[in-house]
Amino acid sequence: MEEQIGNIGDLSIEEREDVFVDVATALEGTAREAFVEGNRHLAALSANMAQAIRVNADELARDDLRNTKRILQQAAAMISQFNATHPYRIVGHAVH
């Protein structure tokens, strides 16, 4: 993900939009796993950030590159923080 953030200026607007959609999908996965593990605060933050990125992906792709990089760095930091504290993935889960 850091590779995509570093060369975001070299991508076309459509490719940037695809990067935002990929990041939103990763954030949604993090939110789902955090919720299952009982970390509702991180789950809510990740889900809200994913929704905001997905809804505004077209505008973000056309926005100033500094703002674009900042948003992608914040999303990557949130995903990395969760991965660092939960290194083992859940194989299956059930929510009652």
Side-chain angles (χ1 to χ4, degrees):
M1 187 175 303
E2 283 78 19
E3 298 168 356
Q4 293 175 333
I5 295 171
N7 65 5
I8 196 79
D10 299 337
L11 301 177
S12 69
I13 292 174
E14 292 82 17
E15 292 170 332
R16 287 185 209 162
E17 193 171 345
D18 289 340
V19 168
F20 278 114
V21 170
D22 292 342
V23 169
T25 303
L27 281 168
E28 289 169 346
T30 300
R32 192 171 27 261
E33 288 186 33
F35 181 77
V36 169
E37 292 189 5
N39 192 343
R40 293 179 189 233
H41 181 72
L42 181 64
L45 286 174
S46 295
N48 288 339
M49 185 177 231
Q51 183 180 9
I53 288 173
R54 191 177 296 278
V55 168
N56 297 306
D58 59 337
E59 291 179 29
L60 292 171
R62 290 171 174 71
D63 200 8
D64 183 30
L65 286 180
R66 287 181 297 166
N67 294 333
T68 299
K69 284 184 180 182
R70 188 176 309 136
I71 291 167
L72 290 174
Q73 288 169 345
Q74 289 174 353
M78 187 174 293
I79 293 168
S80 295
Q81 177 186 5
F82 179 77
N83 289 340
T85 58
H86 300 87
Y88 304 106
R89 293 285 178 234
I90 297 173
V91 176
H93 61 275
V95 178
H96 298 277

